[in-house]
């Protein structure tokens, strides 16, 4: 992302060398959209059982409702950052906020699963403008390196904390209102952004005239979405011609995307950055951690309500310790880094996340709540530290002239990881659930199966379905544990040689 500014804007930057109270308030305003985008990744986790009852989505639709949002953000993030550079970051931010708000209102009153999926898709397009625009504006508002680092740290903590508290806030709202109210929560916050940002946040443009990599955008989406659809289809319907053909088309598009990126004069993805071991390690950490956290949050939201029988408020409160752990340790990661060194902090944090996931292998259909609270809180500690360290290592490992591109890829890895967690690990859990049917008459989802069991008065069907869901949960968190442990071992090797503290 270019950092060349018009002369008039350079004067603004010099005047802003010492941030005023107005600048810090502007930072708080820039954190509004970050919180919303992060929360909307996870706010549906506790709402899924209710949405299943009201809209009766299929298993594939249920997963699409949650993760179409994340895939469109991931696919468009870098592109929207480039648009902001050319046409004005504040202008793009406010335009995206209006789109996000309008789509939220449609989602709140969606009459069917298909309409809700479409509204979430439009929210993803709007959300893709909010993250890069807000981060780029913050970088421009704080030209001093030390204060800029603090501001970006606050921004990162808001993203990590928003993702963690989303299920909690969603659960509290659902306890009092209907499921669509979780989307209406976005509207007043976005109205405040639209009113305050023009007064507190200056406009910035890079003045770049580099062409858009439109072909790269098309090929990336043409690859990601069919591959994900194929995974979901195979998980819900088994291996068939449709799943295989769509999957092959998606893989072919991804191969074409990578080849096109190597030849493009102004590529969407700076592939050469992945030749830097530390950069690749940081991006892989973001991708893996968000993938495992997304799957964990989604599956445990269903587990608490449909397996343990907790109401939505109790399920929300049960998620609070992990949310607090993520938020607190994302803010305190710099202290952990200073004491242990980047390499040791990274490795221990990944292992903590792994231990937390592994602890969920002990839960069953009748286990006490503390057996859920302890491992998820431990996982939250690890995730919080990793999220804050990723940006520092990713951007710090890249050459200065490519720091913007490194930051964009790092952000994209967070969003893509969250969506992949639901697509891959969520689909894996669904496949295990369906495989455990054994002719007992399971529906596509646990919620639908429990409805069927209540309708026919079959208590054994409900018990078998809950046990089958727990089996799927165990497989998903088991795979997550293995991924995190392997990643910790890789990080220990990759960061060993170049940690300036020699840790």
């Amino acid at each position: 992302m270019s950092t060349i500014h018009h002369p008039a804007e350079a004067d603004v930057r010099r005047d802003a060398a010492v941030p005023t109270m107005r600048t810090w308030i502007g930072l708080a305003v820039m954190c509004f959209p970050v919180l919303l985008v992060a929360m909307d990744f996870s706010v549906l986790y506790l709402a899924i059982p209710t949405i299943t009852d009201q809209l009766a989505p299929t298993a594939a639709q249920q997963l699409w409702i949650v993760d179409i949002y994340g895939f469109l953000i991931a696919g468009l993030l870098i592109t929207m950052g480039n648009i902001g550079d050319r046409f004005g970051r504040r202008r793009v931010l406010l335009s995206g906020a209006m789109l996000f708000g309008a789509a939220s209102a449609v989602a709140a009153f969606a009459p069917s699963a298909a309409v809700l999926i479409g509204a979430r898709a439009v929210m993803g397009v709007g959300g893709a403008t909010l993250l890069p625009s807000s981060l780029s504006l913050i970088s421009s508002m704080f030209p001093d390196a030390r204060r800029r680092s603090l501001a970006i740290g606050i921004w990162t903590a808001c993203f990590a904390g928003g993702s963690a508290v989303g299920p909690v806030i969603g659960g509290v709202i659902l306890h009092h209102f209907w499921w669509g109210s979780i989307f209406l929560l976005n509207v007043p916050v976005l109205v405040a952004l639209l009113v305050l940002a023009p007064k507190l946040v200056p406009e910035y443009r890079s003045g770049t005239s580099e062409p858009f990599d439109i072909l790269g955008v098309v090929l990336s989406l043409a690859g990601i979405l069919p591959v994900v659809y194929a995974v979901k289809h195979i998980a819900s319907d088994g291996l068939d011609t449709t799943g295989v053909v769509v999957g092959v088309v998606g893989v072919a598009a991804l191969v074409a995307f990578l080849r096109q990126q190597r030849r493009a004069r102004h590529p969407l993805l700076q592939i050469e950055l992945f030749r830097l071991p530390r950069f690749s390690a940081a991006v892989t950490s973001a991708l893996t951690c968000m993938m495992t956290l997304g799957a964990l949050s989604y599956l445990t939201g269903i587990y608490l309500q449909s397996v343990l029988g907790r109401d939505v408020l109790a399920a929300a409160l049960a998620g609070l310790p992990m949310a607090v752990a993520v938020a607190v340790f994302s803010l305190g990661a710099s202290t952990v880094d200073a004491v242990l060194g980047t390499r040791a902090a990274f490795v221990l944090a990944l292992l903590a996340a792994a231990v937390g996931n592994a602890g969920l292998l002990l839960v069953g259909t009748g286990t006490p709540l503390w057996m859920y609270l302890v491992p998820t809180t431990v996982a939250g500690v690890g995730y919080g530290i990793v999220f804050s360290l990723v940006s520092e290592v990713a951007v710090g490992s890249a050459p200065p002239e490519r720091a913007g591109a490194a930051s964009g890829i790092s952000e994209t890895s967070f969003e893509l990881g969250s969506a992949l967690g639901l697509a891959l690990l969520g689909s894996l859990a669904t496949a295990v659930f369906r495989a455990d049917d054994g002719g007992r008459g399971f529906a596509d989802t646990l919620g639908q199966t429990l409805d069927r069991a209540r309708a026919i008065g079959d208590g054994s069907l409900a018990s078998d379905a809950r046990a089958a869901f727990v089996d799927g949960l165990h497989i998903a968190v088991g795979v997550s544990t293995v991924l995190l442990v392997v990643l910790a071992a890789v990080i220990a090797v990759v960061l060993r040689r170049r940690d300036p503290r020699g840790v």
Side-chain angles (χ1 to χ4, degrees):
M1 188 176 296
S2 175
T3 56
I4 300 173
H5 298 270
H6 293 311
E9 291 163 354
D11 293 337
V12 174
R13 288 176 62 87
R14 286 194 293 271
D15 293 340
V18 179
T20 63
M21 180 59 69
R22 180 187 181 92
T23 306
W24 288 108
I25 296 175
L27 170 64
V29 171
M30 289 298 94
C31 288
F32 287 170
V34 178
L35 284 168
L36 286 184
V37 172
M39 284 173 50
D40 274 86
F41 273 111
S42 56
V43 74
L44 283 184
Y45 293 152
L46 288 180
I48 282 296
T50 304
I51 291 174
T52 298
D53 290 339
Q54 297 294 319
L55 301 183
T58 65
Q61 285 179 325
Q62 182 172 304
L63 290 172
W64 275 117
I65 288 171
V66 179
D67 62 19
I68 186 63
Y69 172 79
F71 278 113
L72 284 174
I73 285 184
L76 296 173
L77 191 66
I78 297 176
T79 299
M80 292 301 184
N82 289 333
I83 291 175
D85 282 348
R86 288 164 173 77
F87 301 107
R89 295 168 183 168
R90 189 182 68 187
R91 178 183 297 175
V92 170
L93 174 74
L94 298 180
S95 298
M98 288 188 286
L99 183 63
F100 194 92
S104 296
V106 173
F109 300 100
S112 66
V115 173
L116 181 55
I117 291 170
R120 291 279 289 171
V122 177
M123 288 175 66
V125 176
T129 71
L130 299 178
L131 286 178
S133 296
S134 61
L135 185 57
S136 297
L137 283 166
I138 289 171
S139 298
S140 301
M141 291 162 63
F142 293 88
D144 175 70
R146 183 173 63 84
R147 293 183 178 90
R148 182 170 63 246
S149 177
L150 173 61
I152 292 177
I154 294 172
W155 186 95
T156 303
C158 286
F159 182 84
S163 181
V165 302
V168 179
I169 294 174
V172 172
I173 292 174
L174 288 168
H175 183 69
H176 298 284
F177 306 101
W178 95 106
W179 64 265
S181 59
I182 58 179
F183 296 110
L184 292 183
L185 176 67
N186 297 333
V187 176
V189 178
L190 291 170
V191 169
L193 173 67
L194 292 170
V195 171
L196 296 175
K199 300 177 181 179
L200 297 171
V201 179
E203 180 63 284
Y204 290 92
R205 296 181 182 87
S206 67
T208 182
S209 59
E210 295 177 354
F212 288 117
D213 182 15
I214 298 297
L215 180 58
V217 175
V218 172
L219 287 175
S220 64
L221 291 176
I224 292 173
L225 295 180
V227 167
V228 175
Y229 175 83
V231 171
K232 295 175 181 297
H233 180 82
I234 292 171
S236 61
D237 298 330
L239 187 65
D240 60 12
T241 302
T242 300
V244 172
V245 170
V246 173
V248 169
V249 169
V251 170
L254 286 176
V255 171
F257 168 71
L258 293 175
R259 296 183 63 181
Q260 182 266 343
Q261 291 294 286
R262 292 191 181 96
R263 298 192 303 267
R265 293 184 60 188
H266 305 288
L268 181 70
L269 185 67
Q270 299 282 347
I271 293 179
E272 62 271 17
L273 286 173
F274 288 94
R275 298 192 181 101
L276 303 172
R278 288 169 63 85
F279 176 82
S280 295
V283 169
T284 303
S285 296
L287 188 73
T288 304
C289 284
M290 284 303 297
M291 184 169 72
T292 57
L293 176 59
L296 182 150
S297 299
Y298 171 71
L299 293 172
T300 55
I302 298 174
Y303 169 77
L304 289 169
Q305 295 178 80
S306 298
V307 176
L308 294 189
R310 307 277 173 172
D311 65 23
V312 69
L313 180 60
L317 294 176
L320 190 58
M322 184 175 73
V324 171
V326 171
V328 169
F329 281 86
S330 64
L331 284 172
S334 58
T335 302
V336 177
D337 183 21
V339 173
L340 299 178
T342 300
R343 172 175 170 261
F346 240 127
V347 171
L348 290 177
L350 288 168
L351 291 178
V355 168
N357 276 271
L360 291 175
L361 293 172
L362 301 177
V363 302
T365 57
T367 51
L369 187 60
W370 68 265
M371 292 184 66
Y372 165 84
L373 296 176
V374 172
T376 54
T377 303
V378 172
V381 171
Y383 287 128
I385 295 172
V386 170
F387 293 154
S388 287
L389 292 179
V390 161
S391 296
E392 177 185 345
V393 173
V395 177
S397 64
E401 67 275 11
R402 294 180 180 171
S407 177
I409 295 172
S410 176
E411 292 171 45
T412 302
S413 66
F414 279 110
E415 279 74 47
L416 186 59
S418 181
L420 281 174
L422 303 179
L424 301 179
L425 296 176
S427 293
L428 175 62
T430 298
V432 173
F433 173 77
R434 296 292 299 276
D436 280 358
D437 185 345
R440 285 171 288 188
F442 288 0
D444 284 347
T445 66
L446 174 60
Q448 292 172 338
T449 305
L450 294 179
D451 288 342
R452 178 180 296 175
R454 282 192 292 267
I456 63 177
D458 190 344
S460 63
L461 175 62
S463 298
D464 291 343
R466 291 188 178 99
F469 181 85
V470 171
D471 288 342
L473 171 65
H474 286 167
I475 294 297
V477 297
V479 172
S480 295
T481 300
V482 172
L483 290 174
L484 291 165
V485 170
V486 171
L487 181 60
V490 172
I491 294 291
V493 174
V494 171
L495 297 188
R496 179 172 53 192
R497 296 180 181 178
R498 298 186 61 184
D499 192 320
R501 285 174 284 269
V503 180

